[in-house]
Amino acid sequence: MKINRFVRPAMQGIVIGGLITAVLWLNQPIHLPYFNQLEATAQAQSQDTEQTPTLREQPEVNSAAFKGQGKLAFISKGLLYVLDGSTSKVKQLTEFGSALEPTWSHDGEWLAFKLITDKSAMTGPLWLVRKDGTRAHQVQGLPGTVMTGKFDWSPASNLLAVSTEDGLWLVPTEGKPHRLIAKQGGYPTFSWSPDGKALAYNDTLPYKVYHAADDVLLTVDIKGGQPVKHLQTSGAGITLAGWQPDGKGLLYWVNPSRGASAATDGLELWSLQLAESKSSPLTTGLPNKEWQSFSPQGQLLTVEGSDRIVWANKSIAVVDPRTGRLQHIASPDGCVAIDPDFSPDGKNIAYVAAKNLGRDVWGFDKTDDLDAWVNSRTLYIANADGSNARALPTAGQGIYQPAWSKDGRHILFIKDNALWSINIEGGNPEKIFEPVSEQKDQFGFYGFTSYQDTFSWFKG
């Protein structure tokens, strides 16, 4: 069987549950003690059994494997849970619907998430809930539903920014949201400043021909005032990558043709120093935020290489966004290097090395061939400059998305559709929970897979 999934991004990590049927539920908090009452009400109001909330089997969680590692929000069979690494207790936060994209507030007290009402678009209303399951409520007053990756918490307060079809909104945990920026065309990319006082975002200027339209990059104080324009493109689109950790600059990708297909084959990453109003190109790679990791010292660890296929022409590099200095990291022989992450002290890096299949391979004729490539994905750690690179063979094969713990001694990663933890100083990996995704898809989008919409790690 020819595996040919080249048109749409495969959304591995998306957990698809039932639709919400009663409008009343979407306007009320989630009351955990009254689940039986909610279920009875839903059955009376709906003839579609797929849309009624049902009791679901509790996930098996190895709390000991996560001990002392912060808090983990995760989705299992559409329901949202929290594993507390300090108490080793698992708390169920929702009892109906299909939750997606759990996201921690800066202090680890609140979670934002979507409840999916449109399976085809994977959109739905935005909800907020405390870590103990209390004060759960749907956010009222936002236009339309929330798109994937369009909301994020302030790094300094319990305030949520949301990109909508009519601009940027700010959502408090109590009270009504308000629109900060009105924007026709909608859904701007945005990023919080490190101090939480401002937002950077992109906008598209009026145009006659979309592919020739100019974009502008702006910042705005969250307390109001006029936005400040920092640059304007000439017939190109902007996708914001984020702020530099020191708050003195922005990173963004430029799409000269504004085409979605062009973006999937790699864009040039630029750095803008705000005080100098000066932009400099850094490197070219796929515009995946999961492949960007900052050190505390402000160095960016990123994946270089054009072409949408992950198994060819991919390596990692360390970039200084302030000076443009670029250090290429040598990949293991015969391998690509992907999924990078800086250790919390910036002294080490973790990444995945996988077999380099070359640029002539764009699909797999046999499932076994795809399995063989997935099984070549190996966890590596190295010094920040790439020296002393070494595999962690005890972690096994088929590794995705490694992430360092706050203490720098453990790495969490995905393997066999489960979340694992390993002590880099020795020992075997320990499974925390499974499955991570209800619809496992190893192909992803030409080999790229993200699990960020099914779990969120607050490292404390």
Side-chain angles (χ1 to χ4, degrees):
M1 179 182 66
K2 178 74 172 181
I3 300 175
N4 186 15
R5 307 174 191 174
F6 297 158
V7 178
R8 58 170 180 83
M11 301 297 291
Q12 180 167 354
I14 291 178
V15 183
I16 299 178
L19 298 176
I20 311 298
T21 59
V23 174
L24 176 62
W25 296 349
L26 296 178
N27 292 286
Q28 297 293 330
I30 304 173
H31 297 290
L32 294 180
Y34 306 120
F35 177 49
N36 292 334
Q37 180 182 350
L38 282 172
E39 184 177 20
T41 301
Q43 290 173 344
Q45 292 180 343
S46 175
Q47 300 300 316
D48 186 350
T49 57
E50 289 188 1
Q51 296 184 13
T52 60
T54 57
L55 288 169
R56 307 176 201 182
E57 184 179 354
Q58 294 287 318
E60 293 187 9
V61 180
N62 179 8
S63 300
F66 193 69
K67 186 174 179 60
Q69 300 302 322
K71 292 187 284 286
L72 188 71
F74 65 95
I75 310 282
S76 178
K77 300 185 185 302
L79 301 182
L80 176 61
Y81 297 83
V82 167
L83 168 59
D84 191 328
S86 62
T87 64
S88 296
K89 293 182 178 179
V90 179
K91 178 73 175 180
Q92 181 181 332
L93 301 191
T94 62
E95 291 175 329
F96 59 84
S98 181
L100 198 65
E101 289 189 76
T103 307
W104 285 105
S105 63
H106 82 108
D107 59 1
E109 293 296 317
W110 285 86
L111 283 161
F113 63 97
K114 294 188 307 187
L115 276 178
I116 299 302
T117 55
D118 184 341
K119 290 182 179 180
S120 60
M122 299 311 296
T123 60
L126 183 67
W127 283 70
L128 302 180
V129 63
R130 289 186 63 85
K131 65 179 181 181
D132 60 1
T134 62
R135 297 169 65 182
H137 60 281
Q138 181 193 335
V139 174
Q140 302 292 327
L142 292 176
T145 55
V146 179
M147 302 284 285
T148 298
K150 297 300 184 182
F151 59 93
D152 195 19
W153 291 97
S154 163
S157 64
N158 289 337
L159 186 65
L160 196 70
V162 184
S163 177
T164 72
E165 59 192 7
D166 71 350
L168 282 174
W169 289 69
L170 295 178
V171 179
T173 55
E174 295 182 356
K176 297 181 179 179
H178 73 276
R179 189 169 61 178
L180 179 66
I181 294 295
K183 180 180 182 295
Q184 294 182 351
Y187 301 110
T189 57
F190 72 91
S191 179
W192 283 96
S193 62
D195 60 8
K197 294 181 179 181
L199 286 167
Y201 67 100
N202 75 298
D203 199 357
T204 301
L205 299 180
Y207 57 86
K208 293 182 179 180
V209 179
Y210 174 72
H211 293 292
D214 296 351
D215 263 18
V216 288
L217 186 57
L218 310 100
T219 58
V220 62
D221 192 306
I222 65 168
K223 293 182 179 180
Q226 290 298 314
V228 178
K229 186 177 79 171
H230 297 281
L231 65 87
Q232 179 175 334
T233 66
S234 177
I238 289 176
T239 299
L240 192 61
W243 291 71
Q244 294 173 194
D246 60 7
K248 296 181 179 180
L250 298 170
L251 299 180
Y252 61 97
W253 289 283
V254 174
N255 186 347
S257 65
R258 307 184 68 88
S261 179
T264 61
D265 282 324
L267 299 176
E268 198 165 36
L269 180 66
W270 286 69
S271 172
L272 169 67
Q273 302 305 305
L274 297 177
E276 304 173 8
S277 297
K278 177 184 178 182
S279 293
S280 302
L282 299 178
T283 186
T284 298
L286 303 186
N288 299 326
K289 290 189 177 181
E290 296 90 338
W291 282 0
Q292 321 300 317
S293 176
F294 273 108
S295 73
Q297 298 79 22
Q299 302 296 298
L300 175 67
L301 181 63
T302 187
V303 177
E304 296 184 292
S306 57
D307 295 335
R308 65 193 64 183
I309 47 176
V310 169
W311 47 78
N313 193 31
K314 300 295 178 293
S315 59
I316 57 177
V318 177
V319 188
D320 187 334
R322 296 158 296 193
T323 65
R325 181 179 179 272
L326 181 68
Q327 180 183 4
H328 303 282
I329 305 296
S331 302
D333 290 343
C335 292
V336 295
I338 50 180
D339 289 8
D341 191 47
F342 255 125
S343 64
D345 60 6
K347 295 180 179 180
N348 297 283
I349 59 176
Y351 60 92
V352 169
K355 185 177 180 180
N356 188 336
L357 301 181
R359 301 176 70 174
D360 293 332
V361 176
W362 287 81
F364 298 91
D365 292 322
K366 300 177 181 179
T367 301
D368 287 348
D369 294 337
L370 173 59
D371 291 341
W373 182 76
V374 170
N375 288 333
S376 76
R377 298 178 63 118
T378 303
L379 178 60
Y380 272 73
I381 58 175
N383 297 337
D385 61 0
S387 62
N388 194 28
R390 57 207 182 276
L392 293 183
T394 55
Q397 304 301 120
I399 308 295
Y400 290 80
Q401 205 169 308
W404 292 87
S405 62
K406 186 177 181 180
D407 62 15
R409 297 175 53 214
H410 298 81
I411 293 177
L412 265 61
F413 58 89
I414 306 294
K415 180 184 73 170
D416 298 332
N417 203 25
L419 182 66
W420 300 73
S421 174
I422 189 170
N423 189 323
I424 65 168
E425 298 173 356
N428 295 316
E430 296 182 276
K431 185 187 298 182
I432 299 174
F433 78 92
E434 68 174 333
V436 175
S437 168
E438 301 299 329
Q439 293 194 335
K440 186 177 180 182
D441 184 353
Q442 295 189 115
F443 188 85
F445 184 70
Y446 296 90
F448 175 75
T449 301
S450 174
Y451 295 87
Q452 290 192 349
D453 51 9
T454 56
F455 73 93
S456 181
W457 185 10
F458 180 78
K459 300 180 184 181

